[in-house]
Amino acid sequence: MTKWGLVRALLLGTLCVVSSLALGQSLRDQATEPRAFIPAGYVVVQEVQGDLNKDDQTDHVFVIKGTDEAMVIQHEYLGELDRNRRGIIIVFGEGERYRLVLDNRDCFSSENEDGGVYMAPELDISIQNGNLFIHYLHGRYGYWTYNFRYQNAGFELIGYEGSQNRGPLIEQQTSINFLTGKMVKRVNRNTDPVGGVDRFTETWSDIALAEPIRLIDIADFDQGLFSLEQLVSEGQRIQ
């Protein structure tokens, strides 16, 4: 074989290996059933369906939970608690097949975390107007909601809504629109939880992020990377 023939053979072999790897990855990311992507050692605790990429196909969002027996503890007062973390799997429908588009299997704490003097926040997932909402309900203390949109080949945070309550009294509300770069805080001048008339003072600010917040990159919704207060305090806000 000539030198050029050898080079051609090596190049052809390399292309075949790359093509095979790409095909293997593609096949691993596709299935005929949406639940085929639930990883071993996890169970589905919530499923919602809707169209997240505006192609008139049904997409599936799964909240999953680990089943590691080592994460089941005995609490001094509450008895047996399953502290396995939860995560999210998102699958797009494509004709008769399904494609895995997001696998973040440990980004949510368990439903049995210590809520201090109150219960732990309750997690709920929904699809509204083609967007993915991750909603936390904290009873008498309020709620907070993250709004993600599928764009730029991933789920990016485009909005946030939060309400800080004291029983029936709304103390403060925060709304952030990451598309417009605007944040508004509404502080209630009424501090009486059993009476009075709510009177809110609004403060508007500009928000600037160095890069979008993507759902796949959030390791823990409770701390670290995803503290919106930390984003503001570290100079991401422009007055």
Side-chain angles (χ1 to χ4, degrees):
M1 179 181 293
T2 66
K3 179 177 70 174
W4 291 113
L6 179 61
V7 170
R8 289 179 61 188
L10 290 174
L11 287 174
L12 181 60
T14 301
L15 289 173
C16 289
V17 170
V18 171
S19 298
S20 297
L21 290 174
L23 178 60
Q25 182 65 44
S26 176
L27 290 175
R28 285 196 299 273
D29 290 344
Q30 295 185 15
T32 57
E33 296 291 337
R35 292 201 174 210
F37 299 106
I38 305 303
Y42 288 81
V43 295
V44 174
V45 294
Q46 184 184 4
E47 177 183 358
V48 296
Q49 300 179 17
D51 184 6
L52 288 166
N53 58 341
K54 300 177 175 62
D55 64 351
D56 296 323
Q57 301 284 316
T58 299
D59 307 316
H60 297 254
V61 180
F62 300 100
V63 178
I64 59 173
K65 181 178 175 65
T67 58
D68 185 354
E69 293 183 358
M71 297 299 293
V72 179
I73 68 167
Q74 288 294 327
H75 191 276
E76 182 180 3
Y77 303 109
L78 302 177
E80 185 175 279
L81 294 178
D82 184 349
R83 288 283 176 83
N84 276 283
R85 293 184 64 82
R86 295 169 293 177
I88 185 168
I89 300 288
I90 302 179
V91 177
F92 280 174
E94 296 183 344
E96 297 181 355
R97 300 188 68 81
Y98 296 90
R99 177 169 61 91
L100 177 66
V101 293
L102 185 134
D103 182 346
N104 190 345
R105 60 188 69 177
D106 297 303
C107 58
F108 306 127
S109 58
S110 80
E111 70 277 22
N112 296 313
E113 297 302 312
D114 188 354
V117 298
Y118 199 60
M119 64 181 183
E122 180 181 351
L123 172 67
D124 185 60
I125 306 291
S126 66
I127 297 174
Q128 303 172 36
N129 299 321
N131 292 342
L132 175 66
F133 288 83
I134 296 176
H135 190 50
Y136 281 94
L137 300 159
H138 205 202
R140 65 191 305 270
Y141 290 107
Y143 66 86
W144 53 99
T145 302
Y146 308 99
N147 179 1
F148 289 88
R149 175 190 290 174
Y150 185 73
Q151 56 189 27
N152 302 318
F155 286 89
E156 296 182 355
L157 184 69
I158 64 169
Y160 170 85
E161 301 286 337
S163 181
Q164 179 180 322
N165 299 0
R166 180 156 52 98
L169 176 68
I170 299 174
E171 294 184 315
Q172 177 176 292
Q173 294 179 325
T174 302
S175 178
I176 304 176
N177 187 325
F178 289 96
L179 297 178
T180 62
K182 298 294 184 181
M183 176 177 75
V184 59
K185 284 194 172 183
R186 304 172 69 238
V187 177
N188 195 351
R189 289 178 290 168
N190 173 33
T191 60
D192 185 354
V194 296
V197 178
D198 291 340
R199 301 185 304 276
F200 291 95
T201 299
E202 290 189 355
T203 302
W204 286 83
S205 304
D206 292 327
I207 295 291
L209 295 178
E211 57 186 22
I213 298 174
R214 294 166 60 91
L215 179 54
I216 190 64
D217 297 325
I218 300 172
D220 190 339
F221 269 82
D222 294 338
Q223 61 185 0
L225 165 68
F226 206 54
S227 169
L228 292 177
E229 292 79 7
Q230 182 180 9
L231 284 174
V232 172
S233 65
E234 289 181 350
Q236 299 277 15
R237 182 174 70 186
I238 302 173
Q239 295 284 359

